[in-house]
C-alpha cells in the first residue's frame, strides 16, 4: 500500500486531553516518524507536531480521532 508523508499539527487547549492524545499517538506509533511537543505557558496551550509515514487512510483515521477529543484542534499536511 502506498504511503504518504504527513505533518499533523495539534493544539491542545485543555490539559485534561493530554493523556487521551498520548494514548492515541501510542496506538499509531508504528506510523509515526517523530514528534515534538512544546508547552506555551503564556497562552495556556500545548503545541504538538507529529510526522508520519502512513497510508492516507491511517492518517485520516488518526486525524479524525484527534478531532473528537474536546479541547484539541488539529490540521494535516500531506505529500501529493
Amino acid at each position: 500500500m502506498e504511503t504518504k508523508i504527513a505533518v499533523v499539527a495539534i493544539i491542545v487547549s485543555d490539559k485534561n486531553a493530554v493523556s487521551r492524545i498520548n494514548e492515541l499517538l501510542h496506538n499509531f506509533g508504528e506510523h509515526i516518524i517523530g514528534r515534538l511537543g512544546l508547552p506555551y505557558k503564556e497562552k495556556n496551550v500545548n503545541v504538538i507536531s507529529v510526522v508520519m509515514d502512513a497510508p492516507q487512510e491511517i492518517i485520516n483515521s488518526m486525524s479524525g480521532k484527534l478531532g473528537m477529543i474536546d479541547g484539541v484542534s488539529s490540521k494535516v499536511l500531506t505529500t501529493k
Side-chain angles (χ1 to χ4, degrees), residues 21-33:
I21 295 167
N22 284 330
E23 180 182 344
L24 181 65
L25 295 179
H26 174 77
N27 291 339
F28 285 89
E30 69 182 270
H31 303 287
I32 294 175
I33 299 168

Side-chain angles (χ1 to χ4, degrees), residues 8 10 18 21-26 32-38 48-52:
V8 183
I10 306 165
V18 171
I21 295 167
N22 284 330
E23 180 182 344
L24 181 65
L25 295 179
H26 174 77
I32 294 175
I33 299 168
R35 68 186 263 192
L36 171 68
L38 300 169
I48 305 169
S49 168
V50 178
V51 180
M52 302 177 72

Side-chain angles (χ1 to χ4, degrees), residues 20 24 27-28 59-69 72 74:
R20 290 186 61 202
L24 181 65
N27 291 339
F28 285 89
I59 296 166
N60 292 344
S61 175
M62 189 178 92
S63 176
K65 290 177 181 182
L66 281 167
M68 291 189 287
I69 301 174
V72 176
S74 68

Side-chain angles (χ1 to χ4, degrees), residues 2-20:
E2 181 184 348
T3 63
K4 294 187 175 197
I5 304 298
V7 178
V8 183
I10 306 165
I11 296 179
V12 185
S13 58
D14 182 356
K15 294 195 187 295
N16 294 322
V18 171
S19 62
R20 290 186 61 202

